[in-house]
Short mmCIF file of all heavy atoms in Angstrom, two decimals:
data_model
loop_
_atom_site.label_atom_id
_atom_site.label_comp_id
_atom_site.label_asym_id
_atom_site.label_seq_id
_atom_site.Cartn_x
_atom_site.Cartn_y
_atom_site.Cartn_z
N MET A 1 0.83 -1.17 0.00
CA MET A 1 0.00 0.00 0.00
C MET A 1 0.89 1.24 0.00
O MET A 1 1.83 1.35 0.77
CB MET A 1 -0.90 -0.03 1.24
CG MET A 1 -1.89 1.10 1.28
SD MET A 1 -3.23 0.80 2.43
CE MET A 1 -2.66 1.65 3.87
N GLU A 2 0.59 2.19 -0.89
CA GLU A 2 1.36 3.43 -0.97
C GLU A 2 0.97 4.38 0.15
O GLU A 2 -0.18 4.42 0.57
CB GLU A 2 1.11 4.11 -2.32
CG GLU A 2 1.73 3.37 -3.48
CD GLU A 2 1.69 4.18 -4.75
OE1 GLU A 2 1.81 5.41 -4.67
OE2 GLU A 2 1.53 3.57 -5.80
N PRO A 3 1.94 5.16 0.65
CA PRO A 3 1.63 6.11 1.71
C PRO A 3 0.71 7.22 1.21
O PRO A 3 0.72 7.56 0.04
CB PRO A 3 2.99 6.67 2.11
CG PRO A 3 3.87 6.43 0.95
CD PRO A 3 3.34 5.21 0.26
N VAL A 4 -0.09 7.75 2.11
CA VAL A 4 -0.96 8.88 1.80
C VAL A 4 -0.30 10.12 2.36
O VAL A 4 -0.18 10.27 3.59
CB VAL A 4 -2.38 8.69 2.40
CG1 VAL A 4 -3.24 9.90 2.13
CG2 VAL A 4 -3.01 7.43 1.84
N PHE A 5 0.16 10.98 1.49
CA PHE A 5 0.84 12.19 1.91
C PHE A 5 -0.16 13.31 2.16
O PHE A 5 -1.11 13.48 1.41
CB PHE A 5 1.86 12.64 0.86
CG PHE A 5 2.97 11.65 0.64
CD1 PHE A 5 3.09 10.98 -0.56
CD2 PHE A 5 3.89 11.40 1.64
CE1 PHE A 5 4.11 10.06 -0.76
CE2 PHE A 5 4.93 10.49 1.45
CZ PHE A 5 5.03 9.83 0.24
N GLU A 6 0.08 14.05 3.22
CA GLU A 6 -0.74 15.22 3.56
C GLU A 6 0.09 16.46 3.25
O GLU A 6 0.90 16.90 4.07
CB GLU A 6 -1.15 15.16 5.03
CG GLU A 6 -2.02 13.96 5.35
CD GLU A 6 -2.26 13.78 6.84
OE1 GLU A 6 -1.88 14.66 7.64
OE2 GLU A 6 -2.81 12.73 7.19
N PHE A 7 -0.10 17.03 2.06
CA PHE A 7 0.71 18.15 1.60
C PHE A 7 0.22 19.47 2.19
O PHE A 7 -0.98 19.67 2.36
CB PHE A 7 0.68 18.23 0.08
CG PHE A 7 1.48 17.15 -0.58
CD1 PHE A 7 0.88 15.98 -0.99
CD2 PHE A 7 2.84 17.29 -0.76
CE1 PHE A 7 1.61 14.97 -1.59
CE2 PHE A 7 3.59 16.28 -1.35
CZ PHE A 7 2.97 15.13 -1.77
N VAL A 8 1.18 20.34 2.48
CA VAL A 8 0.89 21.70 2.94
C VAL A 8 1.74 22.67 2.12
O VAL A 8 2.78 22.31 1.58
CB VAL A 8 1.18 21.89 4.45
CG1 VAL A 8 0.26 21.02 5.29
CG2 VAL A 8 2.63 21.60 4.77
N SER A 9 1.27 23.90 2.05
CA SER A 9 1.99 24.97 1.37
C SER A 9 2.44 25.98 2.41
O SER A 9 1.89 26.05 3.51
CB SER A 9 1.08 25.68 0.36
OG SER A 9 0.67 24.80 -0.65
N THR A 10 3.40 26.81 2.04
CA THR A 10 3.81 27.88 2.94
C THR A 10 2.66 28.86 3.10
O THR A 10 1.73 28.90 2.28
CB THR A 10 5.04 28.63 2.40
OG1 THR A 10 4.66 29.29 1.19
CG2 THR A 10 6.20 27.71 2.17
N THR A 11 2.72 29.68 4.13
CA THR A 11 1.67 30.66 4.37
C THR A 11 1.50 31.58 3.18
O THR A 11 0.37 31.90 2.78
CB THR A 11 2.01 31.49 5.63
OG1 THR A 11 2.16 30.59 6.72
CG2 THR A 11 0.92 32.46 5.96
N MET A 12 2.59 32.01 2.58
CA MET A 12 2.52 32.91 1.42
C MET A 12 1.75 32.28 0.27
O MET A 12 1.01 32.95 -0.45
CB MET A 12 3.91 33.31 0.96
CG MET A 12 3.92 34.19 -0.24
SD MET A 12 5.60 34.61 -0.69
CE MET A 12 5.55 36.35 -0.37
N CYS A 13 1.89 31.00 0.08
CA CYS A 13 1.24 30.31 -1.03
C CYS A 13 -0.22 29.99 -0.76
O CYS A 13 -0.91 29.53 -1.66
CB CYS A 13 2.00 29.02 -1.35
SG CYS A 13 3.59 29.32 -2.12
N ARG A 14 -0.69 30.23 0.41
CA ARG A 14 -2.10 29.94 0.70
C ARG A 14 -3.02 31.06 0.18
O ARG A 14 -4.22 30.92 0.19
CB ARG A 14 -2.29 29.73 2.19
CG ARG A 14 -1.61 28.45 2.64
CD ARG A 14 -1.80 28.17 4.11
NE ARG A 14 -0.94 27.05 4.46
CZ ARG A 14 -0.25 26.97 5.58
NH1 ARG A 14 -0.33 27.92 6.47
NH2 ARG A 14 0.51 25.94 5.82
N ASP A 15 -2.42 32.15 -0.30
CA ASP A 15 -3.17 33.25 -0.90
C ASP A 15 -3.65 32.79 -2.28
O ASP A 15 -2.86 32.33 -3.09
CB ASP A 15 -2.26 34.47 -1.02
CG ASP A 15 -2.99 35.69 -1.53
OD1 ASP A 15 -4.02 35.56 -2.24
OD2 ASP A 15 -2.53 36.81 -1.24
N GLU A 16 -4.93 32.93 -2.57
CA GLU A 16 -5.48 32.46 -3.83
C GLU A 16 -4.91 33.19 -5.05
O GLU A 16 -4.99 32.70 -6.16
CB GLU A 16 -7.00 32.58 -3.81
CG GLU A 16 -7.66 31.61 -2.84
CD GLU A 16 -9.17 31.71 -2.85
OE1 GLU A 16 -9.74 32.32 -3.77
OE2 GLU A 16 -9.78 31.15 -1.93
N LYS A 17 -4.31 34.36 -4.84
CA LYS A 17 -3.72 35.12 -5.95
C LYS A 17 -2.38 34.52 -6.40
O LYS A 17 -1.90 34.82 -7.49
CB LYS A 17 -3.52 36.58 -5.54
CG LYS A 17 -4.82 37.32 -5.33
CD LYS A 17 -4.53 38.75 -4.91
CE LYS A 17 -5.12 38.91 -3.53
NZ LYS A 17 -4.68 40.07 -2.82
N VAL A 18 -1.79 33.68 -5.57
CA VAL A 18 -0.51 33.05 -5.91
C VAL A 18 -0.81 31.80 -6.72
O VAL A 18 -1.67 31.00 -6.38
CB VAL A 18 0.27 32.69 -4.63
CG1 VAL A 18 1.55 31.96 -4.98
CG2 VAL A 18 0.56 33.94 -3.82
N GLY A 19 -0.07 31.61 -7.82
CA GLY A 19 -0.30 30.45 -8.69
C GLY A 19 0.28 29.18 -8.11
O GLY A 19 -0.10 28.72 -7.04
N ASN A 20 1.26 28.64 -8.80
CA ASN A 20 1.84 27.37 -8.35
C ASN A 20 2.78 27.59 -7.17
O ASN A 20 3.44 28.60 -7.05
CB ASN A 20 2.56 26.69 -9.49
CG ASN A 20 3.75 27.48 -9.98
OD1 ASN A 20 3.72 28.70 -10.06
ND2 ASN A 20 4.82 26.78 -10.32
N CYS A 21 2.80 26.63 -6.29
CA CYS A 21 3.64 26.70 -5.10
C CYS A 21 4.19 25.31 -4.78
O CYS A 21 3.52 24.31 -5.03
CB CYS A 21 2.83 27.16 -3.90
SG CYS A 21 2.36 28.88 -3.97
N PRO A 22 5.38 25.26 -4.20
CA PRO A 22 5.84 23.96 -3.73
C PRO A 22 5.03 23.53 -2.51
O PRO A 22 4.63 24.37 -1.70
CB PRO A 22 7.31 24.21 -3.36
CG PRO A 22 7.42 25.68 -3.16
CD PRO A 22 6.35 26.31 -3.98
N GLN A 23 4.78 22.26 -2.42
CA GLN A 23 4.06 21.70 -1.29
C GLN A 23 4.90 20.57 -0.71
O GLN A 23 5.55 19.83 -1.44
CB GLN A 23 2.69 21.18 -1.72
CG GLN A 23 1.79 22.27 -2.26
CD GLN A 23 0.46 21.73 -2.75
OE1 GLN A 23 0.39 20.68 -3.37
NE2 GLN A 23 -0.60 22.45 -2.45
N VAL A 24 4.86 20.44 0.60
CA VAL A 24 5.67 19.45 1.30
C VAL A 24 4.78 18.62 2.22
O VAL A 24 3.86 19.15 2.84
CB VAL A 24 6.78 20.15 2.12
CG1 VAL A 24 7.61 19.14 2.89
CG2 VAL A 24 7.66 21.00 1.23
N ALA A 25 5.07 17.35 2.30
CA ALA A 25 4.38 16.45 3.23
C ALA A 25 5.42 15.81 4.14
O ALA A 25 6.41 15.26 3.67
CB ALA A 25 3.61 15.37 2.47
N LEU A 26 5.18 15.90 5.43
CA LEU A 26 6.09 15.34 6.43
C LEU A 26 5.41 14.29 7.30
O LEU A 26 5.96 13.88 8.31
CB LEU A 26 6.63 16.46 7.33
CG LEU A 26 7.35 17.61 6.63
CD1 LEU A 26 7.62 18.75 7.60
CD2 LEU A 26 8.63 17.12 6.00
N ASN A 27 4.23 13.86 6.92
CA ASN A 27 3.43 12.98 7.77
C ASN A 27 3.80 11.50 7.71
O ASN A 27 3.33 10.71 8.52
CB ASN A 27 1.94 13.15 7.46
CG ASN A 27 1.58 12.69 6.07
OD1 ASN A 27 2.09 13.23 5.09
ND2 ASN A 27 0.70 11.72 5.97
N VAL A 28 4.64 11.11 6.76
CA VAL A 28 5.05 9.70 6.66
C VAL A 28 6.44 9.58 7.28
O VAL A 28 7.39 10.20 6.80
CB VAL A 28 5.06 9.23 5.18
CG1 VAL A 28 5.59 7.81 5.08
CG2 VAL A 28 3.65 9.33 4.59
N PRO A 29 6.58 8.83 8.36
CA PRO A 29 7.86 8.73 9.06
C PRO A 29 9.02 8.35 8.14
O PRO A 29 8.92 7.43 7.33
CB PRO A 29 7.61 7.65 10.11
CG PRO A 29 6.14 7.68 10.34
CD PRO A 29 5.54 8.01 9.00
N GLY A 30 10.11 9.12 8.24
CA GLY A 30 11.31 8.84 7.47
C GLY A 30 11.27 9.30 6.03
O GLY A 30 12.23 9.12 5.29
N THR A 31 10.16 9.90 5.60
CA THR A 31 10.01 10.32 4.21
C THR A 31 9.52 11.75 4.14
O THR A 31 8.63 12.15 4.88
CB THR A 31 8.99 9.41 3.48
OG1 THR A 31 9.43 8.07 3.57
CG2 THR A 31 8.84 9.80 2.02
N VAL A 32 10.12 12.51 3.23
CA VAL A 32 9.64 13.86 2.91
C VAL A 32 9.20 13.82 1.45
O VAL A 32 9.93 13.34 0.59
CB VAL A 32 10.75 14.91 3.10
CG1 VAL A 32 10.26 16.29 2.70
CG2 VAL A 32 11.24 14.92 4.54
N ALA A 33 7.99 14.27 1.19
CA ALA A 33 7.45 14.30 -0.17
C ALA A 33 7.28 15.75 -0.60
O ALA A 33 6.86 16.59 0.19
CB ALA A 33 6.12 13.56 -0.23
N VAL A 34 7.63 16.03 -1.86
CA VAL A 34 7.55 17.38 -2.40
C VAL A 34 6.81 17.31 -3.73
O VAL A 34 6.99 16.37 -4.50
CB VAL A 34 8.96 17.97 -2.62
CG1 VAL A 34 8.88 19.39 -3.14
CG2 VAL A 34 9.78 17.91 -1.35
N ARG A 35 5.98 18.34 -3.99
CA ARG A 35 5.31 18.42 -5.28
C ARG A 35 5.03 19.88 -5.62
O ARG A 35 5.12 20.76 -4.77
CB ARG A 35 4.01 17.62 -5.29
CG ARG A 35 2.91 18.25 -4.45
CD ARG A 35 1.64 17.44 -4.50
NE ARG A 35 0.57 18.11 -3.76
CZ ARG A 35 -0.62 17.59 -3.53
NH1 ARG A 35 -0.88 16.38 -3.97
NH2 ARG A 35 -1.52 18.26 -2.85
N ASP A 36 4.68 20.12 -6.87
CA ASP A 36 4.26 21.43 -7.35
C ASP A 36 2.73 21.44 -7.31
O ASP A 36 2.10 20.49 -7.78
CB ASP A 36 4.76 21.61 -8.78
CG ASP A 36 4.41 22.95 -9.40
OD1 ASP A 36 3.40 23.56 -9.01
OD2 ASP A 36 5.15 23.39 -10.28
N SER A 37 2.14 22.49 -6.77
CA SER A 37 0.68 22.52 -6.65
C SER A 37 -0.03 22.42 -8.00
O SER A 37 -1.16 21.97 -8.06
CB SER A 37 0.23 23.80 -5.92
OG SER A 37 0.59 24.95 -6.67
N GLU A 38 0.65 22.81 -9.08
CA GLU A 38 0.04 22.70 -10.41
C GLU A 38 0.22 21.32 -11.03
O GLU A 38 -0.36 21.02 -12.06
CB GLU A 38 0.62 23.77 -11.34
CG GLU A 38 0.15 25.17 -10.99
CD GLU A 38 0.56 26.19 -12.02
OE1 GLU A 38 1.58 25.99 -12.72
OE2 GLU A 38 -0.14 27.21 -12.11
N ARG A 39 1.05 20.49 -10.41
CA ARG A 39 1.28 19.12 -10.89
C ARG A 39 1.20 18.15 -9.71
O ARG A 39 2.18 17.50 -9.36
CB ARG A 39 2.65 19.03 -11.56
CG ARG A 39 2.76 19.86 -12.82
CD ARG A 39 4.13 19.68 -13.45
NE ARG A 39 4.26 20.51 -14.63
CZ ARG A 39 4.75 21.74 -14.63
NH1 ARG A 39 5.18 22.30 -13.52
NH2 ARG A 39 4.82 22.43 -15.75
N PRO A 40 0.04 18.04 -9.10
CA PRO A 40 -0.08 17.25 -7.87
C PRO A 40 0.19 15.75 -8.04
O PRO A 40 0.44 15.07 -7.06
CB PRO A 40 -1.51 17.51 -7.43
CG PRO A 40 -2.23 17.94 -8.65
CD PRO A 40 -1.22 18.65 -9.50
N ASP A 41 0.17 15.25 -9.27
CA ASP A 41 0.42 13.82 -9.48
C ASP A 41 1.91 13.50 -9.57
O ASP A 41 2.29 12.33 -9.58
CB ASP A 41 -0.29 13.33 -10.74
CG ASP A 41 -1.79 13.39 -10.60
OD1 ASP A 41 -2.29 13.37 -9.45
OD2 ASP A 41 -2.48 13.49 -11.64
N GLN A 42 2.76 14.52 -9.65
CA GLN A 42 4.21 14.32 -9.76
C GLN A 42 4.83 14.59 -8.39
O GLN A 42 5.02 15.73 -8.00
CB GLN A 42 4.80 15.24 -10.82
CG GLN A 42 4.28 14.95 -12.20
CD GLN A 42 4.83 15.92 -13.24
OE1 GLN A 42 5.72 16.72 -12.96
NE2 GLN A 42 4.31 15.84 -14.44
N VAL A 43 5.12 13.53 -7.67
CA VAL A 43 5.63 13.63 -6.30
C VAL A 43 7.06 13.11 -6.26
O VAL A 43 7.37 12.05 -6.81
CB VAL A 43 4.75 12.80 -5.33
CG1 VAL A 43 5.31 12.85 -3.92
CG2 VAL A 43 3.30 13.33 -5.36
N VAL A 44 7.93 13.87 -5.61
CA VAL A 44 9.32 13.45 -5.39
C VAL A 44 9.46 13.16 -3.90
O VAL A 44 9.03 13.95 -3.06
CB VAL A 44 10.29 14.58 -5.80
CG1 VAL A 44 11.73 14.20 -5.45
CG2 VAL A 44 10.15 14.90 -7.27
N THR A 45 10.05 12.02 -3.57
CA THR A 45 10.25 11.67 -2.17
C THR A 45 11.74 11.58 -1.88
O THR A 45 12.55 11.31 -2.76
CB THR A 45 9.57 10.34 -1.80
OG1 THR A 45 10.12 9.30 -2.60
CG2 THR A 45 8.06 10.42 -1.99
N MET A 46 12.08 11.83 -0.62
CA MET A 46 13.47 11.72 -0.16
C MET A 46 13.46 11.41 1.32
O MET A 46 12.43 11.51 1.98
CB MET A 46 14.23 13.01 -0.46
CG MET A 46 13.69 14.24 0.24
SD MET A 46 14.33 15.79 -0.40
CE MET A 46 13.31 16.00 -1.84
N THR A 47 14.62 11.06 1.81
CA THR A 47 14.76 10.81 3.24
C THR A 47 14.80 12.15 3.99
O THR A 47 15.02 13.20 3.38
CB THR A 47 16.06 10.04 3.54
OG1 THR A 47 17.16 10.88 3.17
CG2 THR A 47 16.11 8.71 2.80
N ALA A 48 14.65 12.08 5.28
CA ALA A 48 14.76 13.30 6.09
C ALA A 48 16.16 13.89 5.97
O ALA A 48 16.32 15.12 5.90
CB ALA A 48 14.42 12.99 7.56
N ALA A 49 17.19 13.05 5.89
CA ALA A 49 18.56 13.54 5.72
C ALA A 49 18.73 14.22 4.36
O ALA A 49 19.40 15.25 4.25
CB ALA A 49 19.55 12.39 5.87
N GLY A 50 18.12 13.66 3.34
CA GLY A 50 18.16 14.26 2.01
C GLY A 50 17.49 15.63 2.01
O GLY A 50 17.97 16.58 1.40
N TRP A 51 16.36 15.73 2.70
CA TRP A 51 15.64 17.00 2.82
C TRP A 51 16.50 18.03 3.55
O TRP A 51 16.57 19.18 3.14
CB TRP A 51 14.32 16.79 3.55
CG TRP A 51 13.56 18.06 3.80
CD1 TRP A 51 13.41 18.70 4.99
CD2 TRP A 51 12.87 18.87 2.83
NE1 TRP A 51 12.66 19.85 4.83
CE2 TRP A 51 12.33 19.97 3.52
CE3 TRP A 51 12.68 18.76 1.47
CZ2 TRP A 51 11.59 20.96 2.87
CZ3 TRP A 51 11.94 19.75 0.82
CH2 TRP A 51 11.40 20.83 1.52
N ALA A 52 17.17 17.61 4.61
CA ALA A 52 18.03 18.53 5.35
C ALA A 52 19.17 19.03 4.46
O ALA A 52 19.50 20.23 4.47
CB ALA A 52 18.58 17.84 6.60
N SER A 53 19.76 18.15 3.66
CA SER A 53 20.84 18.55 2.75
C SER A 53 20.32 19.50 1.68
O SER A 53 20.97 20.51 1.37
CB SER A 53 21.45 17.32 2.07
OG SER A 53 22.10 16.52 3.01
N LEU A 54 19.17 19.20 1.10
CA LEU A 54 18.58 20.06 0.08
C LEU A 54 18.26 21.43 0.67
O LEU A 54 18.58 22.47 0.07
CB LEU A 54 17.33 19.43 -0.51
CG LEU A 54 16.56 20.29 -1.51
CD1 LEU A 54 17.41 20.61 -2.73
CD2 LEU A 54 15.27 19.62 -1.91
N SER A 55 17.63 21.46 1.82
CA SER A 55 17.27 22.73 2.48
C SER A 55 18.50 23.57 2.77
O SER A 55 18.50 24.79 2.54
CB SER A 55 16.51 22.46 3.78
OG SER A 55 15.30 21.80 3.52
N ALA A 56 19.56 22.94 3.25
CA ALA A 56 20.79 23.67 3.55
C ALA A 56 21.40 24.25 2.28
O ALA A 56 21.87 25.40 2.27
CB ALA A 56 21.79 22.75 4.26
N ALA A 57 21.38 23.49 1.20
CA ALA A 57 21.94 23.97 -0.07
C ALA A 57 21.13 25.14 -0.62
O ALA A 57 21.70 26.12 -1.11
CB ALA A 57 21.99 22.82 -1.09
N VAL A 58 19.82 25.07 -0.52
CA VAL A 58 18.98 26.18 -0.98
C VAL A 58 19.24 27.42 -0.15
O VAL A 58 19.42 28.53 -0.69
CB VAL A 58 17.48 25.77 -0.94
CG1 VAL A 58 16.59 26.99 -1.16
CG2 VAL A 58 17.18 24.70 -1.97
N LYS A 59 19.29 27.27 1.16
CA LYS A 59 19.54 28.40 2.04
C LYS A 59 20.91 29.03 1.79
O LYS A 59 21.09 30.23 1.93
CB LYS A 59 19.43 27.97 3.50
CG LYS A 59 18.01 27.68 3.93
CD LYS A 59 17.97 27.17 5.35
CE LYS A 59 16.58 26.73 5.75
NZ LYS A 59 16.54 26.15 7.10
N ALA A 60 21.87 28.21 1.38
CA ALA A 60 23.23 28.71 1.13
C ALA A 60 23.36 29.34 -0.27
O ALA A 60 24.42 29.85 -0.60
CB ALA A 60 24.23 27.56 1.26
N GLY A 61 22.29 29.28 -1.06
CA GLY A 61 22.32 29.90 -2.38
C GLY A 61 22.88 29.02 -3.47
O GLY A 61 23.13 29.47 -4.58
N GLU A 62 23.06 27.75 -3.19
CA GLU A 62 23.67 26.84 -4.16
C GLU A 62 22.86 26.73 -5.46
O GLU A 62 23.42 26.47 -6.52
CB GLU A 62 23.83 25.46 -3.53
CG GLU A 62 24.66 24.52 -4.35
CD GLU A 62 25.00 23.23 -3.61
OE1 GLU A 62 25.20 23.28 -2.38
OE2 GLU A 62 25.04 22.20 -4.27
N PHE A 63 21.57 26.94 -5.39
CA PHE A 63 20.72 26.79 -6.57
C PHE A 63 20.17 28.11 -7.10
O PHE A 63 19.25 28.12 -7.90
CB PHE A 63 19.56 25.83 -6.26
CG PHE A 63 20.03 24.45 -5.89
CD1 PHE A 63 19.97 24.02 -4.57
CD2 PHE A 63 20.55 23.60 -6.84
CE1 PHE A 63 20.40 22.76 -4.22
CE2 PHE A 63 21.00 22.34 -6.49
CZ PHE A 63 20.92 21.91 -5.18
N ASP A 64 20.75 29.23 -6.67
CA ASP A 64 20.30 30.53 -7.14
C ASP A 64 20.52 30.62 -8.65
O ASP A 64 21.55 30.20 -9.18
CB ASP A 64 21.06 31.66 -6.45
CG ASP A 64 20.61 31.85 -5.01
OD1 ASP A 64 19.65 31.19 -4.58
OD2 ASP A 64 21.22 32.69 -4.32
N LEU A 65 19.55 31.18 -9.34
CA LEU A 65 19.63 31.30 -10.80
C LEU A 65 20.31 32.58 -11.24
O LEU A 65 20.69 32.70 -12.40
CB LEU A 65 18.22 31.24 -11.39
CG LEU A 65 17.48 29.92 -11.14
CD1 LEU A 65 16.06 30.02 -11.69
CD2 LEU A 65 18.21 28.76 -11.76
N LEU A 66 20.44 33.54 -10.36
CA LEU A 66 21.04 34.82 -10.75
C LEU A 66 22.54 34.83 -10.56
O LEU A 66 23.13 34.32 -9.74
CB LEU A 66 20.41 35.95 -9.94
CG LEU A 66 18.90 36.08 -10.13
CD1 LEU A 66 18.36 37.18 -9.24
CD2 LEU A 66 18.57 36.39 -11.58
#
């Protein structure tokens, strides 16, 4: 049986004027699921350690486009 993820958006993305937003589910132990609100059927999963590494890299600017 596949896990049922309970996705949430950031507070900023809960405004109906905002289009697509990243959504994260943390309700399945040991797994973090991420999706785009405009593509809810495309879910990427990772471990909690993977999420911590990704979050740290984003915060450090590793993926900045500018």
Side-chain angles (χ1 to χ4, degrees):
M1 184 163 96
E2 289 191 34
V4 177
F5 297 113
E6 297 171 8
F7 287 95
V8 296
S9 298
T10 65
T11 303
M12 178 179 245
C13 289
R14 292 182 189 140
D15 184 335
E16 292 182 14
K17 293 179 242 165
V18 176
N20 64 321
C21 290
Q23 298 177 319
V24 178
L26 303 171
N27 65 299
V28 175
T31 303
V32 177
V34 182
R35 71 180 184 187
D36 181 333
S37 63
E38 289 188 333
R39 295 182 182 92
D41 294 336
Q42 297 177 8
V43 177
V44 175
T45 60
M46 62 194 80
T47 64
W51 176 253
S53 294
L54 175 62
S55 297
V58 169
K59 289 176 186 176
E62 190 171 325
F63 299 106
D64 286 354
L65 298 176
L66 300 177

